[in-house]
Amino acid sequence: MTRSRTMPPIDDVPAWTVVCFVVRSGHRRKGVANALLDGAVSYARSHGAPVIEGYPVDPGEGRINSSAAHVGTIGLFAAAGFELVEETRARSDREPRWLMRLDLRS
């Protein structure tokens, strides 16, 4: 994301990034995205990543269109221990996307 105008880096820490989830329609809402995110975090941690970031959408009180949900939701990332850092200028289905980060150094 180093060249992104809508999601620029926030510091010089070399972040690993989770950019999307692909879950077949018949398997959605069954915890597959949670397992994928947990696997990504474990893989990043085992390979020495200092931080891992995601750029999920904030669906607000409603549900997000499945075509825009491929980036994950802030609830998904928060449940995995990621913290909200800042709102980006990026949007999915006209809803804001947030930079969320999990520090793996501790």
Side-chain angles (χ1 to χ4, degrees):
M1 298 294 169
T2 58
R3 294 187 180 127
S4 175
R5 285 184 233 133
T6 59
M7 293 182 281
I10 59 168
D11 56 30
D12 292 332
V13 178
W16 287 38
T17 306
V18 177
V19 294
C20 75
F21 299 89
V22 179
V23 179
R24 192 171 176 173
S25 62
H27 301 279
R28 294 180 188 144
R29 303 186 60 78
K30 296 181 180 180
V32 175
N34 296 71
L36 290 170
L37 184 55
D38 288 345
V41 169
S42 293
Y43 183 83
R45 181 177 278 124
S46 71
H47 284 80
V51 298
I52 185 168
E53 294 178 348
Y55 309 96
V57 66
D58 180 2
E61 297 297 316
R63 291 187 59 187
I64 191 82
N65 183 311
S66 63
S67 65
H70 67 282
V71 296
T73 62
I74 58 171
L76 170 70
F77 281 84
F82 285 69
E83 295 182 3
L84 282 172
V85 176
E86 65 183 26
E87 186 175 332
T88 71
R89 292 188 307 243
R91 298 287 180 264
S92 285
D93 198 26
R94 288 181 242 149
E95 299 297 336
R97 289 178 61 186
W98 286 79
L99 186 153
M100 295 187 74
R101 180 181 265 192
L102 179 63
D103 193 324
L104 303 175
R105 294 172 286 190
S106 55

